[in-house]
Amino acid sequence: MYYRYLGNLADAGVERISSRELSEALQMTASQIRQDLNNFGGFGQQGYGYNVEKLHAEIGKIMGVDTPHSLIIIGAGHLGQALAGYASYGKRNFTVEAIFDVNPEIIGQEIDGRVVKGMDELEAFVKENGADVAALAVPKSVAVEIARNIRDWGVRAIWNFAPIDLELPKEFPVENVWLLDSLMRLSYDLKDR
Amino acid sequence: MYYRYLGNLADAGVERISSRELSEALQMTASQIRQDLNNFGGFGQQGYGYNVEKLHAEIGKIMGVDTPHSLIIIGAGHLGQALAGYASYGKRNFTVEAIFDVNPEIIGQEIDGRVVKGMDELEAFVKENGADVAALAVPKSVAVEIARNIRDWGVRAIWNFAPIDLELPKEFPVENVWLLDSLMRLSYDLKDR
DNA sequence: TAGATTGTTAATCGATTAACAATC
DNA sequence: TAGATTGTTAATCGATTAACAATC
């Protein structure tokens, strides 16, 4: 959240910001912000506040944005194609290296300049090239098995869009993007209004 | 989280579950679970535990899943099309009512059996039919303005996929789905491993 | 030097956990 | 009746807020 907001400020040409100003924009207390930032280091300066660009860069470093990461996309259905065409990965230093699907009609097609590979090529590809993150956009019926396999083959983390628990050891990094959960929060917000 | 897990249990035919068993599956304490559930009502029974189907239904009611909701999709690019084709809305009692785009080449095309309407039809559509939720899958350069408009016209909540703060009054329900944020959490998890 | 604002400690608050009586 | 497990109170813990000395 800090990273995103500071990026916007930097784009807008803002040079410095105080914890009080940040607190108004982000709807939290200035104390909270100073505590948070201080857990990672003294990024501010008494009497001045924080330099926007420097703070943005520091938080980026903490989050690992300064390290390039490779991304492969598994499943080239609607969602997989949307993920493949998503233009902003570069902003977080990610690069899409390959896209895979089982469907023979999709294999060989071009999506945003990349030819979709068959699932039978996945094992060899991962073993040869590795992959920092695999976006899993496949039906939930096959997600668990694919997840287990790609982890064994060398994928380091999974960005999971299948609405199911992947059952991997809990130290293995998984980010679940469960769209229905967020839609359900809206249905809750709409109650009794 | 409870709703999702209990749904899986129900599908698997599990009839009853105790807070202790739930706590093992969900990686939290049994105390926590009993506290959480009791805040909404006494759904369990001493000596027995919780009836899976009943608890699932109760949580559904709390979340508003028992009320049907309408959904419109604004922006029929890759992401909008993926959202339009997403099959599982019914599970949360949502129905996709219409899809809109500005691009003349896309307008009139069929996506999963629905004809894409032009953005110039949006105002009339919303004023006439209303919409509980609008999924906003448009470039961030136009997102803020569209958001302001559709709220004025009668959309009750926004499911926002544009990576920008929509600047709506904070009592208006907005769920931001910021994919790069979750990808960035993975980049953080991958640090120093 | 005076004003501003951080870094940091202490106080407060709320959330989590533990414990156990109630009861199925 | 005995065993199991909830509902709920009390104890603990951690996170947030307030306050202020340090310092730019």
Side-chain angles (χ1 to χ4, degrees):
Chain A
M1 181 187 64
Y2 290 134
Y3 187 79
R4 190 174 355 95
Y5 186 70
L6 289 162
N8 292 158
L9 285 181
D11 288 350
V14 177
E15 219 172 73
R16 47 174 278 198
I17 192 159
S18 69
S19 58
R20 192 186 46 73
E21 293 167 297
L22 261 177
S23 75
E24 282 160 19
L26 300 176
Q27 308 255 61
M28 45 199 300
T29 65
S31 266
Q32 180 74 268
I33 287 167
R34 292 204 299 277
Q35 286 281 15
D36 286 352
L37 298 180
N38 250 105
N39 282 333
F40 289 103
F43 301 138
Q45 194 163 78
Q46 285 99 328
Y48 173 86
Y50 301 86
N51 177 284
V52 171
E53 229 166 279
K54 185 188 162 222
L55 187 55
H56 185 245
E58 291 286 358
I59 296 175
K61 243 188 276 174
I62 292 163
M63 302 297 286
V65 177
D66 56 334
T67 313
H69 289 104
S70 59
L71 174 66
I72 61 173
I73 294 171
I74 303 178
H78 283 303
L79 183 60
Q81 293 194 29
L83 291 174
Y86 200 50
S88 315
Y89 295 121
K91 279 195 208 165
R92 297 293 189 283
N93 220 342
F94 277 82
T95 308
V96 178
E97 302 290 355
I99 309 168
F100 298 87
D101 202 281
V102 266
N103 186 341
E105 286 176 24
I106 294 179
I107 296 168
Q109 274 186 29
E110 256 195 30
I111 297 178
D112 283 271
R114 264 171 294 261
V115 174
V116 177
K117 295 184 201 299
M119 285 293 280
D120 50 358
E121 298 176 66
L122 181 57
E123 179 170 358
F125 182 93
V126 170
K127 285 186 173 169
E128 192 171 326
N129 305 284
D132 292 317
V133 175
L136 206 55
V138 299
K140 75 173 173 176
S141 53
V142 294
V144 175
E145 197 197 336
I146 294 176
R148 185 173 4 98
N149 283 336
I150 57 180
R151 170 179 168 271
D152 291 343
W153 298 336
V155 166
R156 298 176 67 216
I158 293 180
W159 199 20
N160 177 40
F161 292 82
I164 193 171
D165 180 346
L166 296 181
E167 296 170 31
L168 295 171
K170 62 180 175 309
E171 66 277 9
F172 184 81
V174 173
E175 265 286 315
N176 295 304
V177 180
W178 285 332
L179 295 177
L180 289 186
D181 284 23
S182 83
L183 193 56
M184 201 173 179
R185 277 190 287 273
L186 281 180
S187 111
Y188 178 73
D189 287 342
L190 286 172
K191 276 205 354 175
D192 319 313
R193 293 177 133 247
Chain B
M1 180 187 64
Y2 288 136
Y3 186 79
R4 189 173 356 93
Y5 187 69
L6 289 163
N8 291 158
L9 285 182
D11 288 349
V14 178
E15 220 173 71
R16 47 174 280 197
I17 192 159
S18 68
S19 58
R20 191 186 46 74
E21 291 168 299
L22 262 177
S23 76
E24 281 160 19
L26 299 176
Q27 307 256 61
M28 47 199 301
T29 65
S31 265
Q32 181 72 269
I33 287 168
R34 291 203 300 276
Q35 286 281 14
D36 286 352
L37 297 180
N38 251 105
N39 282 333
F40 290 103
F43 302 138
Q45 194 165 79
Q46 286 99 329
Y48 173 87
Y50 301 86
N51 177 284
V52 171
E53 230 167 278
K54 184 187 162 226
L55 187 56
H56 186 245
E58 291 285 359
I59 296 175
K61 244 188 274 175
I62 292 163
M63 303 296 286
V65 177
D66 56 333
T67 313
H69 288 104
S70 60
L71 174 66
I72 61 174
I73 294 171
I74 303 178
H78 283 303
L79 183 60
Q81 294 195 29
L83 292 174
Y86 200 51
S88 316
Y89 294 121
K91 278 194 209 167
R92 297 295 189 280
N93 219 343
F94 276 81
T95 309
V96 178
E97 302 290 355
I99 309 167
F100 299 86
D101 202 281
V102 267
N103 187 342
E105 286 176 24
I106 294 179
I107 297 169
Q109 274 187 30
E110 254 195 31
I111 297 178
D112 283 270
R114 264 171 294 262
V115 174
V116 177
K117 296 183 200 300
M119 284 295 280
D120 50 359
E121 299 176 66
L122 180 57
E123 179 170 1
F125 182 92
V126 171
K127 285 185 172 169
E128 191 172 326
N129 305 283
D132 293 316
V133 175
L136 206 55
V138 300
K140 74 173 175 178
S141 53
V142 294
V144 175
E145 197 196 336
I146 295 176
R148 186 171 5 95
N149 284 335
I150 58 179
R151 172 179 168 271
D152 292 343
W153 298 336
V155 166
R156 298 175 65 215
I158 293 180
W159 198 20
N160 177 39
F161 292 82
I164 193 170
D165 180 347
L166 296 180
E167 297 170 31
L168 295 171
K170 64 179 173 309
E171 66 276 11
F172 184 81
V174 173
E175 266 286 315
N176 296 304
V177 181
W178 284 333
L179 295 176
L180 288 186
D181 284 23
S182 82
L183 194 55
M184 202 173 176
R185 277 191 286 274
L186 281 180
S187 110
Y188 178 73
D189 287 342
L190 286 172
K191 277 203 356 175
D192 319 313
R193 292 175 132 251

